Amino acid sequence: MRVLRQIHSYILTRSLPSSTLSFSLSKITCFCALSPLGNILYAQRVLFHTPNPNIFSWNSLIRGFSQSQSQSQSHTSQSFPIFKTLIIRGHPNPNTYTLAFVLKSCSISPAVQEGFQVHSRVIRSGFSSSSFVQSSLVNFYGKCEDIKAARKVFDEMPDRSLIAWSAMIGGYVKLDLFNEALGLFSDMQKAGVVPDEVAMASVVSACAGLGALDVGRWVHAYIKKRKIVIDVKLSTALINMYAKCGCVEKAKEVFDEMPIKDSRAWSSMIVGFAIHGLAEDALSIFASMEESKVKPNHIAFLGVLQACAHGQLVREGQRHWASLLESGIQPSIEHYSCMVDLFCRANLLQEAYTFIKKMPVDPDPVIWRTFLVACKKNKNMEKGELVGQRLLELEPFNPENYALLSSFYAACSQWSKMGHLRKQMRDKGFKTVPGCSSIEVDGIVHEFVLGDWSHPESKEIKEVLTDVLRRVESLGHKPNVSGVLHDVGDEVKEEALCEHSERLAIAYGMLKTNAPVVIRVVKNLRVCADCHEVTKIISRVYEREIVVRDRVRFHRFVGGACSCNDIW
């Protein structure tokens, strides 16, 4: 920049023609705005002192601010005001590059209202048919989570570029619309568009969200067959996919093959081990990360604290908590939640309560729910009821809080209080999210909901469940009905347990596959105690490996034991 300032001074002291001066200053503006060695604020000053700056200069500045914005939030609001200044001056007219660059800036913030104004300008300027601008609009609406608007623009495109396809698929993934993302990827293939690593990272993430391992394996093979560049971002997506699909060994294989690992890759592997309950492996990877001189980010610390919680490694968790504070990273509410979870899983209720009280930030409902689950486990009526009422105050319209407190009262045999709470739910029209489990068989994902027998093969599923019940009972298993939130007879409660969604999914897996095929189930809620015990018995009696991914972690059932060591 020192040399460039000298050149700038030289240009200004020469009596150059206006056109030559503007051209020379545009080059300085471009360098300062776009080069890593430049200075974006210097570029802005140069542009505003340039007589009749050309559109190339304006575009360079807008693009430069959008690039610096994607790396740092220090220039979040600069691109759009510069664009407005250009419009107000009336000359030169914005072109497709101008509109695309400012839309990119609006998608990063995101600045929804500003993006709407740019879209309006696109229409008035006659650039609605520009594939470049349309792709930018799809990306903007996708990033702003207005998926209907993104799809509308996408569907109106006569020629869809790779960027447009990638942006649309990424938009679906951002909103957890994983089936829609995979469906669009299929359409992309039919259209003959060859994806790049950006598109494939989104597709792999969709597989991770669904827990669709077979599809994920096919996608990985497709990437290799097409010789798509497997960069750090795509490799990290593959690690996440395999870990979230219950195949952590394959995730580690992808991780080991990476020539360069950034903090996100390390963090993904740590979290992968943590959600599988492999605490020692997570701690080992974290140590290797530090030895490699890669600074742990907040996700890495989150993963290692989660691993300590699942492994009941209280001292290790406290040590890493101290390291987090020393690192200069500001702990998030998720980090505090992990520490509360660590104490709760180790049945250190008083330590957990003391930690919550000493937190410099107000505990969120997640922390209180974690503590209430521990109170339920220990049947601590005093603290549990206090925390339950606190939850209802914080989130009076969240049915999950009422259901959890009802479950707590049921565990403590406080049927009248539970009944009063259930009546409140009915009066307010609250409905809890039903248990839903999915299983992938032959590339097709089948979903099962609590007590729903609408599956076309429900008769066969019932026959499998009847056989399971007979064998389980013959081994002396007594159903754990404490989690059934109804003051009814045990026989009715036992029937309710048999209709839990994960049992339906596991039965379907047993019906459609044979050993050694692993039965892999994804559930939206936590696995209940009775289903957990029954699944352990199934894995031993039927000699089947069963992997269940619930809302919190993975459970791998083999030979009558679970990887969680009955801690979840």
Side-chain angles (χ1 to χ4, degrees):
M1 281 300 297
R2 183 178 62 83
V3 175
L4 184 130
R5 286 190 177 94
Q6 292 176 354
I7 295 172
H8 187 195
S9 299
Y10 178 82
I11 291 172
L12 293 177
T13 56
R14 304 295 101 181
S15 299
L16 298 175
S18 178
S19 59
T20 304
L21 177 61
S22 295
F23 177 78
S24 300
L25 294 178
S26 72
K27 293 298 182 181
I28 292 176
T29 302
C30 178
F31 175 84
C32 291
L34 302 178
S35 172
L37 302 176
N39 184 317
I40 189 71
L41 298 178
Y42 192 86
Q44 185 176 6
R45 290 196 295 271
V46 172
L47 174 69
F48 287 163
H49 288 88
T50 299
N52 300 316
N54 56 29
I55 194 61
F56 176 77
S57 297
W58 287 96
N59 289 350
S60 297
L61 188 61
I62 293 171
R63 183 184 181 186
F65 272 120
S66 69
Q67 286 180 348
S68 62
Q69 180 183 341
S70 64
Q71 299 164 8
S72 168
Q73 293 301 311
S74 57
H75 302 303
T76 297
S77 60
Q78 290 299 313
S79 292
F80 187 76
I82 292 168
F83 174 71
K84 283 182 66 176
T85 302
L86 170 62
I87 299 300
I88 292 170
R89 289 193 178 188
H91 184 80
N93 290 321
N95 60 18
T96 57
Y97 292 98
T98 318
L99 297 166
F101 293 149
V102 76
L103 280 170
K104 178 184 177 182
S105 176
C106 291
S107 71
I108 295 170
S109 300
V112 181
Q113 294 302 320
E114 289 83 349
F116 288 162
Q117 294 178 48
V118 178
H119 192 175
S120 175
R121 186 71 191 186
V122 168
I123 296 171
R124 293 201 305 272
S125 301
F127 291 128
S128 297
S129 59
S130 167
S131 176
F132 187 43
V133 174
Q134 287 176 320
S135 296
S136 298
L137 282 168
V138 172
N139 181 63
F140 161 71
Y141 282 118
K143 293 284 181 63
C144 293
E145 301 184 1
D146 190 344
I147 204 66
K148 289 184 178 179
R151 188 62 195 246
K152 185 175 186 298
V153 175
F154 181 81
D155 289 340
E156 292 172 353
M157 294 179 68
D159 298 307
R160 296 170 187 141
S161 65
L162 172 58
I163 295 173
W165 285 98
S166 298
M168 195 66 236
I169 293 172
Y172 278 133
V173 172
K174 184 177 175 66
L175 290 175
D176 295 344
L177 299 171
F178 305 124
N179 283 315
E180 288 82 352
L182 292 181
L184 193 63
F185 174 60
S186 178
D187 293 340
M188 183 182 184
Q189 291 175 289
K190 293 173 185 176
V193 179
V194 179
D196 61 2
E197 62 273 16
V198 176
M200 293 314 300
S202 294
V203 173
V204 169
S205 296
C207 296
L210 289 172
L213 180 60
D214 289 346
V215 178
R217 282 172 172 159
W218 181 88
V219 169
H220 193 182
Y222 176 88
I223 291 169
K224 291 180 177 178
K225 181 179 178 182
R226 287 285 183 177
K227 296 182 179 178
I228 296 170
V229 177
I230 304 181
D231 59 6
V232 175
K233 184 176 181 180
L234 181 51
S235 293
T236 303
L238 286 167
I239 293 169
N240 281 325
M241 185 272 289
Y242 281 118
K244 290 181 178 179
C245 289
C247 197
V248 71
E249 298 85 0
K250 185 64 178 178
K252 182 61 164 55
E253 184 182 312
V254 174
F255 177 79
D256 289 338
E257 290 174 353
M258 293 179 67
I260 300 174
K261 303 177 181 74
D262 63 3
S263 59
R264 291 185 179 183
W266 285 98
S267 301
S268 295
M269 196 65 253
I270 294 167
V271 171
F273 279 130
I275 61 177
H276 280 267
L278 301 172
E280 295 298 336
D281 292 296
L283 293 172
S284 175
I285 289 291
F286 187 86
S288 297
M289 181 182 187
E290 293 182 309
E291 290 170 5
S292 301
K293 306 301 180 184
V294 177
K295 186 178 180 181
N297 57 15
H298 68 287
I299 297 176
F301 276 109
L302 198 63
V304 79
L305 290 174
Q306 190 177 13
C308 292
H310 287 309
Q312 289 189 329
L313 304 174
V314 177
R315 288 187 179 179
E316 279 292 313
Q318 290 173 319
R319 183 174 69 83
H320 285 291
W321 176 257
S323 296
L324 168 63
L325 298 179
E326 291 170 3
S327 71
I329 296 175
Q330 184 68 33
S332 66
I333 196 67
E334 288 81 10
H335 292 105
Y336 287 106
S337 183
C338 277
M339 285 301 292
V340 173
D341 192 32
L342 172 69
F343 290 124
C344 287
R345 286 179 186 274
N347 289 324
L348 300 173
L349 281 186
Q350 187 55 51
E351 287 82 349
Y353 194 72
T354 302
F355 183 86
I356 293 171
K357 288 299 181 182
K358 289 183 177 180
M359 283 170 49
V361 294
D362 291 332
D364 67 352
V366 174
I367 288 177
W368 288 124
R369 279 193 286 270
T370 300
F371 190 76
L372 182 55
V373 168
C375 290
K376 172 189 170 183
K377 182 180 177 181
N378 290 272
K379 297 184 180 181
N380 189 316
M381 190 65 190
E382 181 184 355
K383 280 190 169 62
E385 193 165 33
L386 186 69
V387 169
Q389 293 304 321
R390 176 64 177 150
L391 263 176
L392 298 186
E393 292 172 7
L394 285 173
E395 292 182 332
F397 302 107
N398 186 350
E400 184 182 356
N401 296 331
Y402 288 84
L404 184 56
L405 186 54
S406 294
S407 175
F408 166 74
Y409 282 137
C412 297
S413 299
Q414 298 289 318
W415 300 113
S416 60
K417 291 183 177 181
M418 189 206 76
H420 177 70
L421 204 61
R422 302 293 285 187
K423 184 179 183 300
Q424 279 186 287
M425 291 180 68
R426 288 194 298 271
D427 292 344
K428 295 178 180 180
F430 291 163
K431 292 184 179 180
T432 56
V433 177
C436 177
S437 297
S438 62
I439 182 172
E440 181 188 20
V441 177
D442 296 330
I444 300 174
V445 177
H446 299 259
E447 289 191 347
F448 298 90
V449 179
L450 169 67
D452 181 8
W453 295 99
S454 61
H455 193 278
E457 295 178 86
S458 60
K459 181 181 177 181
E460 292 83 355
I461 294 171
K462 283 184 179 180
E463 290 174 357
V464 174
L465 285 173
T466 300
D467 185 64
V468 168
L469 183 60
R470 179 180 59 81
R471 294 206 193 186
V472 166
E473 286 180 344
S474 69
L475 293 172
H477 171 70
K478 299 296 182 183
N480 184 348
V481 297
S482 62
V484 180
L485 305 184
H486 300 287
D487 187 12
V488 294
D490 285 352
E491 187 176 340
V492 177
K493 292 182 179 181
E494 290 171 18
E495 290 177 4
L497 287 172
C498 290
E499 296 185 349
H500 279 192
S501 63
E502 63 266 50
R503 295 206 193 181
L504 303 182
I506 290 170
Y508 188 71
M510 294 169 65
L511 176 68
K512 306 301 289 187
T513 67
N514 296 310
V517 175
V518 180
I519 297 173
R520 301 179 188 276
V521 174
V522 177
K523 186 178 181 180
N524 64 332
L525 304 176
R526 280 193 179 189
V527 174
C528 78
D530 191 69
C531 286
H532 191 270
E533 191 63 29
V534 168
T535 307
K536 287 198 299 183
I537 296 172
I538 291 172
S539 71
R540 175 165 56 89
V541 173
Y542 291 88
E543 297 182 351
R544 298 298 302 266
E545 180 180 342
I546 303 169
V547 177
V548 179
R549 170 180 140 193
D550 71 8
R551 188 171 66 177
V552 177
R553 57 163 298 157
F554 276 87
H555 301 264
R556 184 185 181 194
F557 301 90
V558 179
C562 179
S563 59
C564 74
N565 294 318
D566 298 336
I567 304 167
W568 82 99

